[in-house]
Amino acid sequence: MSAKIIDGKKLAKEIKHDLAKKVMQLKQRSIIPGLAVIIVGEDPASKIYVKRKKCDCEEIGIESFEYSLPEDTSEKDLIELIERLNVDSKVNGILVQLPLPKHIKEDKVICSINPGKDADCFHPMNVGRLSTGRPLFLPCTPAGIIELIRTTGIDISGKECVVVGRSNIVGKPTAMMLLALNGTVTVCHSKTKNLKEVCKRGDIVVAAIGKAEFINENYIKEGAIVIDVGMNRLDDRLVGDVEFESVSKVASFITPVPGGVGPMTRAILMKNTVLAAILQNESII
């Protein structure tokens, strides 16, 4: 048995193609969706990611506003910038690239973003809306994961879903979205006992723990769908949290790293930005 590859690049391209059409229609009504991306410091991975987001904006027709701030930027100055963007009508979505330097409190910064411009869906108000089944925006990586699972043609309803990782950015919101689609969800973490046995129950396994090739074939039951959220450097290779070679011999579907979840995360960010532009201009649409 050899798993089918779930092509995140291809799906992201299709989503962006549809968004480009929608943006063209909005521009005919003098509405130009705009995304402001703020990066603080010189983290190489963050810089690459921001560059890719800028390319996505250009591809779709979204106006991109980039703010590259020095490492020693104060929390106060960062929040003042966000507050200016909150009231700037040209900016529909705001994204602060994480991680931030240690002297800046991430929670405080996230809470300063207007929830209606929270393109990443990190604000507590948007997280609350998601948890109660009334989302304004969908969190980018979890929403991308759901779309990738849907391409397999397998119905999530009634399936055993195992999420390995409980971060606020991926693990928890992914679990909530799977639950909303009637999956039976187990969230695993560093204190989970018998992790292999728990994972092996999963019809769908989402690996999001940040440990290179941690999940091998012994964690996966035959025929499972495996979504690898990890992005790790190992011996000059870019690898996920899943040991691709061994797991692909057991699973029915698997995402590659790179080319799986990453492109989808950015595609959903673009989707949220366009939605924000529509919601903020409802009176003239």
Side-chain angles (χ1 to χ4, degrees):
M1 179 179 180
S2 183
K4 292 180 181 176
I5 306 297
I6 307 174
D7 192 341
K9 282 185 180 177
K10 182 183 176 185
L11 183 56
K13 190 175 181 179
E14 290 169 4
I15 290 171
K16 289 189 288 184
H17 179 72
D18 290 342
L19 286 173
K21 289 181 183 176
K22 195 171 286 186
V23 168
M24 198 176 292
Q25 291 169 354
L26 290 172
K27 286 181 176 179
Q28 288 171 357
R29 301 187 182 207
S30 301
I31 298 167
I32 304 172
L35 174 67
V37 178
I38 304 170
I39 180 170
V40 183
E42 299 295 325
D43 181 72
S46 291
K47 280 191 167 292
I48 290 168
Y49 201 51
V50 167
K51 185 179 179 182
R52 287 175 179 166
K53 288 171 184 173
K54 189 174 183 179
C55 289
D56 289 333
C57 286
E58 288 173 3
E59 188 179 337
I60 295 166
I62 293 172
E63 193 165 356
S64 177
F65 305 95
E66 186 179 330
Y67 298 86
S68 186
L69 307 178
E71 182 85 18
D72 60 356
T73 298
S74 69
E75 184 181 279
K76 180 174 177 287
D77 286 346
L78 175 56
I79 290 174
E80 283 179 356
L81 169 59
I82 292 168
E83 287 172 347
R84 290 197 299 274
L85 297 173
N86 281 340
V87 295
D88 187 338
S89 61
K90 291 181 180 178
V91 174
N92 305 112
I94 300 171
L95 180 147
V96 178
Q97 185 66 40
L98 302 179
L100 289 168
K102 290 181 180 178
H103 66 279
I104 298 176
K105 295 184 182 69
E106 286 185 359
D107 286 352
K108 193 171 179 181
V109 169
I110 289 166
C111 287
S112 71
I113 298 171
N114 176 345
K117 295 189 177 187
D118 174 30
D120 253 337
C121 194
F122 288 168
H123 193 285
M125 185 178 291
N126 286 326
V127 175
R129 291 182 69 100
L130 178 68
S131 68
T132 54
R134 297 178 296 130
L136 187 62
F137 305 113
L138 293 174
C140 299
T141 299
I145 289 167
I146 298 298
E147 291 301 319
L148 289 167
I149 294 170
R150 281 182 171 143
T151 66
T152 68
I154 305 297
D155 188 0
I156 292 169
S157 181
K159 297 294 186 294
E160 288 272 359
C161 305
V162 178
V163 179
V164 189
R166 56 177 168 178
S167 70
N168 291 334
I169 293 173
V170 180
K172 289 177 187 175
T174 298
M176 283 192 281
M177 292 185 72
L178 288 166
L179 189 61
L181 293 167
N182 301 313
T184 300
V185 184
T186 302
V187 179
C188 299
H189 45 79
S190 59
K191 304 298 182 185
T192 299
K193 294 179 181 178
N194 305 315
L195 180 60
K196 283 183 185 177
E197 288 79 1
V198 176
C199 286
K200 207 148 190 172
R201 296 203 305 260
D203 301 305
I204 298 168
V205 177
V206 178
I209 50 173
K211 291 186 178 181
E213 298 185 335
F214 182 84
I215 303 291
N216 59 37
E217 77 275 19
N218 298 317
Y219 288 76
I220 305 298
K221 84 171 180 182
E222 194 165 323
I225 297 169
V226 179
I227 307 294
D228 189 352
V229 186
M231 189 73 76
N232 314 284
R233 285 278 173 193
L234 183 65
D235 302 327
D236 295 325
R237 292 183 296 130
L238 199 58
V239 300
D241 293 346
V242 174
E243 192 180 84
F244 184 87
E245 290 302 322
S246 66
V247 171
S248 62
K249 293 172 184 174
V250 180
S252 60
F253 293 90
I254 189 169
T255 56
V257 175
V261 174
M264 285 300 297
T265 297
R266 301 198 317 270
I268 301 298
L269 172 66
M270 299 298 116
K271 196 173 183 178
N272 283 346
T273 302
V274 173
L275 174 59
I278 291 168
L279 293 174
Q280 290 161 34
N281 289 279
E282 279 182 318
S283 61
I284 59 173
I285 292 179

